[in-house]
Amino acid sequence: VHWFLESEELHHNVSIGIIQSNQSLVLQHVMRSSSGRYTCMASNSMGTATSESEHLMVKYAPVCSKGQRTLYGGGKHQPVNVTCQVDAHPPAAVFNWAFNTSTEMYDIAESKYKS
């Protein structure tokens, strides 16, 4: 029996948490990169068969999207358009904003921004 994640073969490796035993696949230390479609393939002298895929979705806390801009400038009392994009599963439902100076951080009231 051979196991695949998104068509890439998985190999038994206890140190990284991939355990193949008989007809079972055990995943330990699951993380975001463990998400995807899993299939197994079995062969004997009569031929080869591949299973239907099983989709695994790993839940994880919001993290800033790659390439997220982190520094903005603006004039005093002038509006600034700041964009926040995050990756999360399930999708992020609540955003909170704060203004960070070199000495203090101020929470921004919900009435002052749009999500």
Side-chain angles (χ1 to χ4, degrees), residues 38-96:
Y38 288 81
T39 56
C40 70
M41 181 178 72
S43 300
N44 66 15
S45 61
M46 300 303 290
T48 300
T50 302
S51 71
E52 293 290 324
S53 64
E54 292 290 335
H55 195 201
L56 175 66
M57 289 291 297
V58 177
K59 293 182 178 183
Y60 55 94
V63 294
C64 290
S65 296
K66 290 182 180 179
Q68 178 73 42
R69 184 174 168 189
T70 58
L71 182 61
Y72 291 83
K76 190 172 184 178
H77 302 292
Q78 296 298 312
V80 177
N81 185 16
V82 178
T83 302
C84 177
Q85 294 179 329
V86 297
D87 293 323
H89 184 70
V94 176
F95 288 83
N96 296 304

